[in-house]
Amino acid sequence: MALKMVKGNLERMFDKNLTDLVRGIRNNKDNEAKYIAQCIEEIKQELRQDNVSVKSNAVAKLTYLQMCGYDISWAGFNIIEVMSSNRFTCKRIGYLAASQCFHPDSELLMLTTNMIRKDLSSTNQYDAGVALSGLSCFISTDLSRDLANDIMTLMSSTKPYLRMKAVLMMYKVFLRYPEALRPAFPKLKEKLEDPDPSVQSAAVNVICELARKNPKNYLSLAPIFFKLMTTSTNNWMLIKIIKLFASLTAIEPALGKKLTHPLIELISSTSAMSLLYECINTVIAVLISISSGMPNHSASIQLCVQKLRILIEDSDQNLKYLGLLAMSKILKTHPKSVQTHKDLILACLDDKDESIRLRALDLLYGMVSKKNLMEIVRRLLGHMERAEGSSYRDELLYKVIEICSQGSYQYVTNFEWYLTVLVELILLESGSRHGRLIAGQLLDVAIRVQAVRTFAVNEMATLLETYPVTAAPNGTMQEVLYAAAWIVGEFAPHLDGPERTLAVLLQPKPVAGHIQAVYVQNALKLFAHLVGEAVRQRDGAAIERHCQMLAEGLRSYLSSADIEVQERASSVYFLVVLLRESLGGGADQQHAAAPVTDGGLLELTPDVPGEPGDGGGEKARVAPDEPVAIGSSGGHYPGAAWDEIEQIATDLQGLFGSELNPVAPKAQRKVQLPEELDLDEWINQPPPSADASSADGGSSDEDKFPLFLTDGGRGGGGGERETNGGGDGSRSYKRIEYTQEELDKMRQARLLEQTNNPNYLKPAKTKKASGGDYHQQQQQQQHDCYDDIPIAEIALEVPLQIHSTKRSDKYLMDAERATRVFVGKSGGRKEKGDKSGKKSKRRGKKSKRYSDESDSESDDPKPLHVVNTVIELPEGAILSDTEDKNNADPNDPHRALDIDLDAPFEDDYPQEMKRKAANQRSVMLLRDGDGQTAKTNRNPADEHQSGGTTTTTADSKHRSRRRGTAAATDRSDEQQQQQQMDGGGAGREKQKKKKKSAGKERPDEADAIMLMIDEETPAKGRTTKEKEKRSKPPKDGVAADEAVEDGDVKEKKKKHSKKSSKHHHHHHHSSSSKKSGYEEMPAQSLGGVSKDAI
Amino acid sequence: MIKAILVFNNHGKPRLSKFYQYFNEDMQQQIIKETFQLVSKRDDNVCNFLEGGSLIGGSDYKLIYRHYATLYFVFCVDSSESELGILDLIQVFVETLDKCFENVCELDLIFHADAVHHILSELVMGGMVLQTNMSDILARIEEQNKLQKQEAGISAAPARAVSAVKSMNLPQQIKDIKLPDLPQAIKDLKF
């Protein structure tokens, strides 16, 4: 044996160890990959040997390679082998490797359960310690469930080192297995008062993490934390406690008053900056929570802000950063007090440190008002020009938009200014990632602020013309062209030079396909507008000119590689052809032009990729789309050509006629389901099973499962299409044929429903030939109060180049001039207003609303334009944010940990049972224990008879039952075996235990028994307590009751004494439990008792 | 919670990586690389906090780092940790390393990455701070090293001897010898 070992060692000598590996890699710098591949081969060899030392050496090397970026999960099994070694050295290497490469989803983990359990109960505390450290990195749900009891046992180990680690470990267990929180909580609470400060610190740490997400469940611990805060000297723990108080005080302002004094004491006594800073932070939180109710506290907030200013002005950059961070907390509730320090924060924007600049930017967001928005944005724009680093500039851009758009643009008074800023941003930062955001803003403003629409449209026309399209590698700024094109097309009547803009849209530009598609679509809108205008003026030549222009311009789009662009272009193209033909048919002189167009078409078709074939084929394809085209292709027109053209023009405009209203983002979701609609019902009878269709192999998927069954129905009187598949007679769909009368009736009904349906975008009731008039009417209908909004003069001559001084500055200067004038003028008026004007204002007319507002908001500038806040929503629905909060991050494990820990324990027992029945797989070991005790609890007579031993038998019963259920779940065979073995062990333990309990003596060293008792601690502690309580009521209760239940009471008292002796024993074992833990319970357990008594 | 602890040198070579949330190896390398890029372009006289680690966590997370000679010690933490507290913790970590390796330098971290991990595991466990008292930490490390030595005992002696001989043969060893002016020596080496 010894010889073998020596031999093994001799062989091992010549293996590379970790140092050799590292050195080798450094020596083979040029062919590192090759060298490492060679090393991995060697490692594989070593892993095949039996000697654990060789294996652990190999695993140690693998751990190093893992850091270098090599996947070592293939060696998972070997790592487990090394972990299971008896030698601490190897175990340590194994657990380190495991912590680096295993993760909760590793399948190998299920092999480790019993090994880890063994390590946790090792007599060497460092074996258990290493196991806990490793486990904390890769614990899975299964491991949490299986090992929760073992870790809980370690929480009351005699060794502080293990207690500390076990307490921290429990947090990881809670995250993966929330059911463990409830039973483990009393013990965790107990650890807050552990004699060892490290264990205390660990417990504080765990509770702080738990309370961070669900603070309200931990409010009851405040007294304990308060005591710790005033007595402890461990700075780390104090910081944690103080941070915890900051989150607790937010939900319980009364706590704040108690906290202020000790906090201030700490602030004056501590020398640690970290602690000092957290104290200040919590004081701020306290002040905020107090002052949110009463305005008088703003003075103390002011004081805090002053102190923070000192921090921010400090030369230490860390303090400056933290000062700004704390300031942002105040900003949320007291923006006014922070706003006075605007100078300081703007100065921080010029700091060389990016972290500080970003913090300052965050603060700016909350500091803007109607008055200072323009100035702040101007400074940001100036800053952006100078700033280095595209990501930071991008961040700035984002902030500018965020600042302006917050609260539905509540601080933007002049939207012409805002649009100008947006355009400046576009030109300033062509490589930005926020193109989509800017595009969204452009669309939003153009749609929602009607007053500024004309300005917006012309600005966009200029942008389309001048925007230099360059292929930015990863920028998305091109997206603004999407928005610009849409705005120009949709609001064409506002355009100054629509023809010119149409030409711009038709110029081929190297932009992305989806933008080109919008170009084409909006060229059509523009065209429709132009034709409409021309028709009204009876200008045939103009129509022809527009047609010519569009047809010419579409050429490049027709040959686009993007299918969407191509399709839209060809649709538009044939629409134009149609129009020209009808035009040609009307005016005799222009007959000559028609063949040319046809020729153009013939010429064009070969250009269209993916659509081979001659012109005739092309026409045939078009025919079904445009039924009129068939009639017109012959050129036989009845004389009234103008009528025809006019008809086409109005139809064209009708396509884009109705106003688009903004729709609330969640509108679709909020549409309520009509009562008569059953979404689960078949609309059409389901087709016969698939085997029928297997007969015809040739038919396509669409034939088999027609997606749009209603298509046929929409054909109106077309009864000729009986079957959908055409050739295959295997299936025929029943088609109801409507007579014309029925159709009319249905149409009437539908129209009626549409008028009553608020979700339906109704067409205008009075349709006029002019699109512009129509738009205006629409506006007037919706916003009757529109007249009183001053409409600024439109800048007709939009400069093509950016000036050295920004265009947006003009608005700022205007505004400043205006306020100066305003102040000068209103000086007298204001005084009057203050004294006597209030009453008169109150009964002021509606039209005075704006001046009212501006006065109340301490002479904020008047908004020039109003944002349309009317957004479409289904009837009865309201916009709310609550949904968002509810489904915020469904993966957060803390959601499951939101458990009311103060509620009586048994209350959720039936629920648990239900859940268990529903989900047999997630066996709740810990809760099982409670269940058992709860049952015994409900059967007091039985318990009384069997006395002190009841719990122990129940214990073992519960144990074996659990084994059964655990085995029932589909685990590996190995594990099952192990489980059974354990079961045997449990049996033995049970016997031992019976003996011991008979002897009424439980020596401390009986670890196994301790394990069992501790398992029961949380539940039992409570139940015994309750029994004590239950025996009490007769004492303080009604005398009559006492008389009746006299005998009963005696019995109960007996039981009580027994119980309490057991209780005592129990305490004896868990070394650190204190009486004070029980003294806090009465209120809760009383609640439990009264329920039980009923 | 601490999400990750990274140590890398001025060239971005990882010397220690500890992730308390699972990332695969490629992702880990990418995180190290990006963190290095973020941290290395910052001057020494700016603050030790860094936001915008988009790769790891999101807005709730920030990087807190310290730069010692050739090494960056970076902790990625969420808002439950105190910024200055973590800076102190980094200091404790480095001082502990210094005590354990007797004047720690980058080479110690290179050749004893495992030992560094063991030391770290006495400070931080599963992303939560375990112990901040340096004498306690040192005592624990000492005890575990003793345990390891006991186990090695006589059986490991030949292996150690061979290892020493192997080391002697290597010319590289000369390069690695600690010189009085260590920072300079490290600079001359190319990693």
Side-chain angles (χ1 to χ4, degrees), chain A residues 5 9 12-20 22-23 26-27 29 32 64 66-72 86-90 92-93 96 99-104 124-126 130 132-133 136-137 161 164-165 168-169 171-172 175 198 201 205-206 209 212 234 236 239-240 243 273-274 277-278 317-319 321-322 325 352-356 358-359, chain B residues 1 13-20 22 25-26 28-29 32 41-43 45-51 60 62 78-89 107 110-114 117-118 121-122 125-132 136 139-141 143-145 147-148 151-152 155-156 158-159 162-163 166-167 170 172-173 176 189-191:
Chain A
M5 256 179 78
N9 277 324
R12 218 188 102 203
M13 276 175 217
F14 300 100
D15 289 340
K16 276 199 194 83
N17 62 19
L18 178 59
T19 316
D20 297 331
V22 175
R23 194 173 290 141
R26 284 155 65 83
N27 285 339
K29 214 164 278 298
E32 195 181 292
Y64 183 83
Q66 195 273 343
M67 185 182 75
C68 298
Y70 290 84
D71 178 25
I72 61 163
N86 288 327
R87 291 175 55 195
F88 174 70
T89 318
C90 300
R92 207 182 189 187
I93 291 170
L96 175 61
S99 75
Q100 292 294 89
C101 85
F102 285 3
H103 54 92
N124 180 355
Q125 65 167 330
Y126 290 111
V130 156
L132 282 172
S133 289
S136 69
C137 292
Y161 181 66
M164 165 177 82
K165 285 200 160 190
L168 277 191
M169 192 62 218
Y171 176 63
K172 293 279 174 174
L175 286 185
S198 321
S201 171
N205 209 341
V206 169
E209 285 294 339
R212 198 161 75 94
N234 178 348
W236 183 266
I239 288 174
K240 284 276 172 194
K243 275 184 99 90
M273 198 61 213
S274 46
Y277 172 71
E278 294 305 335
Q317 294 279 312
N318 285 342
L319 296 183
Y321 173 89
L322 293 174
L325 196 65
K352 59 184 179 301
D353 187 346
E354 198 177 299
S355 298
I356 287 174
L358 287 172
R359 282 275 128 240
Chain B
M1 284 279 280
K13 280 264 180 193
R15 294 300 175 219
L16 173 96
S17 66
K18 184 87 203 167
F19 290 88
Y20 295 105
Y22 177 71
E25 276 75 14
D26 291 339
Q28 289 187 2
Q29 291 301 309
I32 293 171
K41 69 179 178 202
R42 291 171 65 81
D43 292 338
N45 55 356
V46 298
C47 74
N48 299 76
F49 316 118
L50 192 57
E51 285 159 66
D60 196 33
K62 60 176 63 134
D78 69 10
S79 61
S80 75
E81 302 294 344
S82 148
E83 290 87 354
L84 292 173
I86 292 289
L87 276 183
D88 289 346
L89 185 70
L107 282 173
I110 296 169
F111 283 104
H112 304 285
D114 50 347
H117 269 295
H118 297 322
S121 72
E122 295 303 321
M125 188 181 117
M128 312 229 280
V129 177
L130 189 65
Q131 182 61 277
T132 50
D136 278 7
R140 298 297 177 194
I141 293 165
E143 277 179 55
Q144 291 181 58
N145 287 345
L147 205 64
Q148 205 167 333
E151 277 182 359
S155 66
V162 169
S163 168
K166 274 197 290 194
S167 299
L170 286 161
Q172 180 65 30
Q173 184 73 1
D176 291 343
L189 286 175
K190 279 177 189 159
F191 295 101

Side-chain angles (χ1 to χ4, degrees), chain A residues 428-704:
Chain A
L428 205 60
E429 195 67 25
S430 58
S432 170
R433 287 175 291 112
H434 294 301
R436 213 155 276 159
L437 181 71
I438 297 186
Q441 290 285 301
L442 289 173
L443 288 171
D444 203 29
V445 170
I447 294 170
R448 287 173 65 184
V449 192
Q450 279 94 339
V452 86
R453 204 169 270 168
T454 311
F455 179 80
V457 169
N458 289 301
E459 194 76 350
M460 289 305 105
T462 322
L463 181 72
L464 280 175
E465 211 169 321
T466 56
Y467 185 78
V469 183
T470 46
N474 48 11
T476 55
M477 203 42 112
Q478 273 190 8
E479 295 293 325
V480 298
L481 294 177
Y482 177 102
W486 188 86
I487 291 169
V488 164
E490 184 65 26
F491 306 117
H494 295 272
L495 266 177
D496 295 327
E499 232 179 306
R500 186 188 165 94
T501 309
L502 180 60
V504 171
L505 280 181
L506 292 172
Q507 272 165 17
K509 279 191 179 169
V511 292
H514 69 283
I515 300 175
Q516 282 189 21
V518 172
Y519 269 41
V520 173
Q521 186 72 12
N522 286 286
L524 178 63
K525 287 186 198 168
L526 260 179
F527 174 73
H529 168 68
L530 282 170
V531 169
E533 289 291 307
V535 165
R536 220 181 24 235
Q537 288 159 17
R538 299 248 155 194
D539 186 352
I543 298 176
E544 178 55 30
R545 194 173 70 237
H546 298 321
C547 290
Q548 184 70 29
M549 189 157 108
L550 189 58
E552 292 289 316
L554 283 172
R555 275 167 187 269
S556 63
Y557 290 115
L558 278 170
S559 57
S560 166
D562 192 296
I563 191 76
E564 174 79 13
V565 178
Q566 200 191 101
E567 189 179 354
R568 287 194 191 205
S570 48
S571 312
V572 173
Y573 182 80
F574 287 106
L575 216 60
V576 178
V577 170
L578 160 74
L579 190 67
R580 289 178 84 172
E581 272 169 5
S582 55
L583 198 67
D588 286 335
Q589 287 83 353
Q590 285 168 357
H591 247 315
V596 179
T597 350
D598 276 344
L601 170 63
L602 284 169
E603 233 175 63
L604 262 172
T605 32
D607 287 348
V608 183
E611 280 182 282
D614 55 353
E618 192 64 33
K619 262 192 176 169
R621 199 183 71 84
V622 175
D625 293 340
E626 288 292 337
V628 199
I630 306 168
S632 65
S633 63
H636 308 299
Y637 267 92
W642 264 117
D643 288 349
E644 182 95 11
I645 291 167
E646 217 169 320
Q647 186 57 43
I648 293 174
T650 16
D651 283 354
L652 257 178
Q653 283 189 319
L655 284 177
F656 313 112
S658 52
E659 173 88 349
L660 288 176
N661 289 325
V663 176
K666 289 176 216 152
Q668 186 72 43
R669 221 191 310 158
K670 301 244 176 177
V671 175
Q672 270 140 14
L673 200 64
E675 273 173 36
E676 64 271 20
L677 181 62
D678 180 10
L679 286 176
D680 296 327
E681 207 183 16
W682 283 100
I683 298 172
N684 294 298
Q685 279 309 305
S689 59
D691 51 3
S693 62
S694 62
D696 47 65
S699 62
S700 71
D701 275 358
E702 278 107 299
D703 277 347
K704 281 177 198 157

